[in-house]
Amino acid sequence: MKIRLLGVAAAASLALTLVLGLRLPPTEEQHQYARLIAIHPAIAWVAYLAFGVMALGSALYLWPATRHRRWDRLAAAGAEVGVVFTALMLATGSIWGRPTWGVWWVWDARLTLSALMLALLLGYVALRRVSVDGERRALVSAIAGLSAVVVIPVNHFAVTWWRTLHQGRSLANISPASHLDGQYIQAMLVGFVAMTLVFAYLLARRFQLEVLADEIDDAGLAAAIEARRREGVPA
C-alpha cells in the first residue's frame, strides 16, 4: 500500500511538473528548449542519487557488521534505475544542447564524465549477470559499486575545475538578477520533487523484484539439493 501511494504521489507531481514546464515562456537564447529546465536538472540530480544509493548499499554490504543481502539488493536496484535516469540525462541534455551549442554532443568534461557514469552503471549491471555464486557476486559487485562512485564529485565540480560548454550549477547561480525568474525556479524545484518521487517508486519496485528473484534462486537451489539427496538414497 505504501509503495502504491508513493506511485500516486510520483505520478501527480510528475504531471504537475509537465504542466508547469509547458507553461514556461520561451527565452531569447534557448527559445522553446528552455522549458527543459523543468526536468533536465532534476533528472541529473536523480542520476547522482542513484549512484549514491548504489554506493551506500555496496558500502553497507562490505562492512562486516552490516553485511546482509538486502544491501546487495538495494545496490542492484539503485544501479538499474540509475541506468534509466542517466540515459535520460544524456538524452535531454543533448536536446537542450543542440540549439544552445549548435551540436548534439561535444566531448567536454561534464558531458564526457556523464557518459562515463552511464558506462560504469552498465558495467556494474553486467557484472551482476556473471554466473557465480550469490555471495561472491555480491562481494565483487559491492567493491565495483563503491569504487565507481568517485566519478560523482568529479562530475559535479567539472564545470568549476575545467572550461566547459556546460553552464554552471543552476541552483547556485539563482539570484534576484538571475535569468531564472520565479516561473522557471518553481518549475525546476517541482521537477526535483517529482523526479525524486519517481526514483523512490521505481527503486522500491525494483527492490521487490530483487527479493523475488533471490527467493526463486533459493527455492531452485533447495530443490536441486533435495533432488541430489534423493538420488543418493538406495532404492
Side-chain angles (χ1 to χ4, degrees):
M1 181 61 71
K2 291 181 180 180
I3 296 179
R4 186 175 299 177
L5 291 175
L6 180 60
V8 172
S13 58
L14 184 59
L16 178 60
T17 300
L18 294 177
V19 170
L20 292 175
L22 290 173
R23 292 178 61 185
L24 290 175
T27 64
E28 294 183 3
E29 295 177 349
Q30 299 180 357
H31 307 292
Q32 305 292 344
Y33 295 94
R35 293 169 175 159
L36 283 170
I37 199 171
I39 59 171
H40 177 67
I43 290 173
W45 144 251
V46 171
Y48 283 13
L49 181 59
F51 253 90
V53 170
M54 178 183 69
L56 176 63
S58 299
L60 290 173
Y61 186 83
L62 286 173
W63 190 257
T66 57
R67 182 166 297 173
H68 193 278
R69 291 174 71 176
R70 63 173 170 268
W71 301 125
D72 177 56
R73 294 165 184 158
L74 179 65
E80 293 201 12
V81 178
V83 167
V84 176
F85 280 94
T86 305
L88 286 174
M89 175 181 68
L90 292 171
T92 55
S94 294
I95 294 172
W96 198 352
R98 179 63 177 87
T100 305
W101 303 332
V103 292
W104 291 101
W105 183 264
V106 60
W107 291 100
D108 79 341
R110 169 58 65 84
L111 273 68
T112 302
L113 288 165
S114 297
L116 179 60
M117 284 174 58
L118 181 59
L120 289 171
L121 286 173
L122 290 172
Y124 176 87
V125 172
L127 181 63
R128 296 190 64 87
R129 298 296 184 270
V130 175
S131 181
V132 296
D133 64 274
E135 185 175 349
R136 184 180 176 187
R137 180 192 64 189
L139 184 61
V140 173
S141 298
I143 295 172
L146 189 58
S147 301
V149 78
V150 70
V151 74
I152 295 301
V154 178
N155 194 7
H156 180 70
F157 290 106
V159 293
T160 303
W161 292 345
W162 297 288
R163 294 181 59 184
T164 70
L165 289 176
H166 197 282
Q167 71 182 61
R169 290 171 286 170
S170 299
L171 291 177
N173 293 333
I174 292 176
S175 67
S178 174
H179 68 283
L180 295 172
D181 62 20
Q183 285 180 284
Y184 279 84
I185 296 172
Q186 182 185 45
M188 183 170 61
L189 294 180
V190 172
F192 270 83
V193 174
M195 292 303 171
T196 302
L197 289 174
V198 171
F199 170 75
Y201 174 73
L202 293 177
L203 181 69
R205 286 299 190 190
R206 190 64 190 85
F207 185 87
Q208 285 183 328
L209 290 177
E210 285 291 324
V211 173
L212 291 175
D214 283 345
E215 290 177 352
I216 292 172
D217 288 343
D218 290 344
L221 179 60
I225 292 174
E226 179 64 18
R228 293 299 299 270
R229 187 188 67 80
R230 290 180 179 274
E231 289 176 0
V233 177

